[in-house]
Amino acid sequence: MANNIENTMDLFKDYPYMHGVIEDHKLENELHRIKWHFFDEKEVNEQFGKILETYELLTSSAIPNIISGRENAIQDYVNIGNQLHVFSKEQARHELNMSNEDVARLFAKVELGGAKYCTKENPQQL
C-alpha cells in the first residue's frame, strides 16, 4: 500500500534519533519526494511470526533446530531487510546500539562491509 502524506516529519515524532538525523542532513524539505509504503497489520503479523519461529529454532536445545534457525535468520534478514526503508534500519541499529559493522559481522554470509553480496545466481538489492 503506497501513500504520500502531507507532513512526513510527523512519521518520525516517535523516533527522535532519525528525526535528528533528518534535521542534521537538512532532508526535511526532501521527504515529500519519497513514496512511502505502509504495511497492514496482517503483513506485519506474518513477518513477526516468521521471526518468532526463527527465534524458537535458535534457542532450541536440538542441534538440527539451531542449524535450521541460522539459515532462517539469514533468510529473515534478507527478505525482511529488503522491505525496510533505510530510515527504519538506521533507527533499529541505533536502538540496538549496533553499528553497520556489527550487523555485517552478525550476517557475514550476506554482508560484506555493510553491502550485500550480489551475484548472477543470487541477485539481491543493494
Side-chain angles (χ1 to χ4, degrees):
M1 171 184 208
N3 288 322
N4 283 324
I5 59 176
E6 206 54 41
N7 188 1
T8 51
M9 282 304 283
D10 286 347
L11 288 172
F12 302 98
K13 66 182 175 203
D14 294 328
Y15 305 101
Y17 173 74
M18 265 327 295
H19 194 279
V21 169
I22 291 166
E23 287 179 341
D24 290 347
H25 293 282
K26 298 178 181 19
L27 297 173
E28 309 96 293
N29 296 325
E30 301 300 322
L31 295 179
H32 69 282
R33 296 174 43 192
I34 296 172
K35 190 172 188 176
W36 298 97
H37 296 272
F38 299 91
F39 296 99
D40 63 31
E41 189 173 339
K42 181 183 175 193
E43 291 172 302
V44 172
N45 286 338
E46 287 173 5
Q47 295 297 340
F48 191 65
K50 289 178 187 178
I51 292 170
L52 288 177
E53 289 172 17
T54 299
Y55 175 77
E56 288 175 8
L57 289 170
L58 288 170
T59 57
S60 170
S61 59
I63 293 173
N65 288 352
I66 295 169
I67 292 168
S68 179
R70 288 179 181 165
E71 291 301 315
N72 282 8
I74 291 169
Q75 286 303 316
D76 291 347
Y77 176 74
V78 171
N79 294 337
I80 295 170
N82 281 343
Q83 297 176 40
L84 295 177
H85 192 278
V86 67
F87 291 169
S88 299
K89 291 179 186 182
E90 187 61 27
Q91 179 70 35
R93 280 193 293 268
H94 174 74
E95 289 180 15
L96 294 170
N97 198 25
M98 297 178 76
S99 67
N100 287 338
E101 292 78 19
D102 294 332
V103 174
R105 274 193 297 279
L106 275 174
F107 295 96
K109 288 187 176 184
V110 291
E111 292 279 345
L112 178 62
K116 294 180 186 145
Y117 286 112
C118 186
T119 65
K120 285 184 186 177
E121 298 77 30
N122 191 18
Q124 298 174 13
Q125 294 179 346
L126 294 176

